[in-house]
Amino acid sequence: MTRVDEQPTPYLEIDAARMDSNIARVAASAASRGVAVRPHVKTHKCVEIARRQIDAGAAGITVATIGEAEVFVEAGCDDVFVAYPLWVSEAQAARLRSLAERATVSVGVDSAEAAAQLALAGPQRVLVEVDSGHHRTGVAPDSAGTVAAAARQAGHDVVGVFTFPGHSYAPDRTTTAAADESAALAAAAAALEAVGLPARIVSGGSTPSLAASLEDDSAVTELRPGVYVFGDAQQWELGSSRPDDIALTCVATVISHAGGRAVLDAGSKALGADRAVYATGFGRLLDHPEARIIGLSEHHAVVEMGGPLPVLGSRVRVVPNHACNAVNLAYTFTVLEDGVRLQWRVDARGRNT
């Protein structure tokens, strides 16, 4: 971490007090219900932030790729879950073996074939992924036992089941997604029990469904939220983050008033191009809640302000639609903490394999 002075825009900025408050709030809520938090670090890709999450009580971390796992294990994280149905090559198998020598590493599988392929890495600690309604990856909950038995046959230590209730990313779906998650995980755990494999870990969670998942009386033992650490425009619109909770923004300069709109120097190469079907724009302005980014190109954001235009040359704080995508485009964060401006690296930037 180094001190930085005024810097050219656009750049990603973290309000450390807000971020730490988000971390502490979720940690306390989960602890009060006896549920572990295993945050998904693909959101921030930053070792310093992972350390803060672990210091706040996180049971370990979640990653999406072997490359992300390597970065965080090298930095000292000793309990890592690759929450992805891996299909490993010989080279990836060697990387998994190396990781297992330095940390407790768990990986996801969702088929008997993938479990057999994973044997290239030797015996692994695995969780079976089940589909709880997102319809992306994962087996039907009742089939989890079949995959688990195949994984055991391939020599792996089957420790539990996991799911991602990604259909919570829709208006008015957070509560129903949490209920779907609970039912799917309960059925999957029962399917493992039926083949003689108790589910020691029952893992779920997404940021939109987090509050409902914690209130639900289910068998879940851990939750894996990611975006909660920062918030973003999607969470703002879904109601899972308040504007006062949002810790990550992209600082941009107003470069034009063409067409009676504010035009910023932060385009898709700084903000990411995600726009969910329910989103009201390509991003929002934290200090102008009525404003919406209505047009986005590589280096321009066109903003319908709904009020007076910010003066040319002024700076505004843009809330990206999807924090994870914006972070993956950056090399560093500018961090405001205790009146000091610091720079933190996006350590796992580009580690997508």
Side-chain angles (χ1 to χ4, degrees):
M1 297 184 290
T2 57
R3 293 283 294 272
V4 293
D5 297 317
E6 180 105 346
Q7 63 192 102
T9 57
Y11 61 87
L12 294 184
E13 182 174 273
I14 294 173
D15 183 319
R18 288 187 177 191
M19 179 187 71
D20 289 343
S21 176
N22 293 339
I23 292 170
R25 182 178 64 254
V26 169
S29 182
S32 71
R33 292 163 173 81
V35 175
V37 177
R38 183 179 292 275
H40 208 314
V41 300
K42 74 177 179 66
T43 293
H44 55 72
K45 293 179 171 281
C46 177
V47 167
E48 172 60 25
I49 298 174
R51 286 180 178 141
R52 294 185 182 213
Q53 291 172 313
I54 291 168
D55 288 346
I61 62 169
T62 305
V63 299
T65 68
I66 297 171
E68 287 180 351
E70 289 167 332
V71 169
F72 287 94
V73 169
E74 181 66 25
C77 295
D78 61 4
D79 193 333
V80 179
F81 174 32
V82 185
Y84 194 88
L86 292 175
W87 185 273
V88 298
S89 64
E90 290 277 7
Q92 289 173 314
R95 292 162 67 191
L96 281 176
R97 287 194 296 271
S98 176
L99 283 169
E101 293 172 357
R102 294 172 286 155
T104 298
V105 179
S106 307
V107 300
V109 296
D110 76 348
S111 69
E113 293 84 357
Q117 182 74 9
L118 186 62
L120 289 173
Q124 297 295 307
R125 192 171 188 264
V126 305
L127 287 84
V128 177
E129 183 176 15
V130 298
D131 179 11
S132 57
H134 187 42
H135 305 319
R136 185 174 63 185
T137 50
V139 297
D142 292 345
S143 299
T146 301
V147 176
R152 177 177 56 187
Q153 181 66 29
H156 306 305
D157 178 17
V158 182
V159 299
V161 294
F162 77 104
T163 193
F164 172 59
H167 54 309
S168 63
Y169 278 82
D172 305 319
R173 292 296 302 276
T174 57
T175 301
T176 57
D180 293 343
E181 169 193 70
S182 178
L185 288 173
L192 262 65
E193 290 277 359
V195 297
L197 288 167
R200 290 170 271 163
I201 299 172
V202 180
S203 179
S206 71
T207 295
S209 63
L210 182 62
S213 295
L214 284 170
E215 292 172 0
D216 190 270
D217 183 18
S218 72
V220 67
T221 64
E222 71 173 27
L223 294 168
R224 309 183 319 277
V227 182
Y228 82 99
V229 70
F230 290 148
D232 58 20
Q234 290 184 150
Q235 306 300 330
W236 186 354
E237 298 204 352
L238 290 170
S240 35
S241 287
R242 303 171 305 165
D244 289 347
D245 299 327
I246 293 173
L248 178 79
T249 54
C250 179
V251 179
T253 299
V254 181
I255 58 168
S256 176
H257 285 170
R261 300 182 175 101
V263 183
L264 315 179
D265 63 355
S268 63
K269 287 186 174 178
L271 300 173
D274 267 16
R275 182 176 181 177
V277 293
Y278 58 82
T280 56
F282 289 97
R284 301 182 66 168
L285 272 57
L286 187 59
D287 304 306
H288 302 272
E290 74 289 348
R292 297 292 187 278
I293 296 177
I294 61 169
L296 193 69
S297 51
E298 291 180 77
H299 298 285
H300 302 77
V302 179
V303 186
E304 190 72 66
M305 292 299 303
L309 299 181
V311 299
L312 290 172
S314 63
R315 295 187 170 194
V316 295
R317 295 187 292 173
V318 181
V319 183
N321 270 348
H322 190 177
C324 307
N325 277 3
V327 168
N328 195 49
L329 296 167
Y331 288 95
T332 60
F333 299 112
T334 295
V335 183
L336 306 183
E337 184 168 37
D338 298 328
V340 177
R341 293 165 60 85
L342 304 169
Q343 192 172 81
W344 296 352
R345 292 189 306 170
V346 182
D347 301 281
R349 183 189 190 277
R351 297 301 296 269
N352 296 323
T353 62

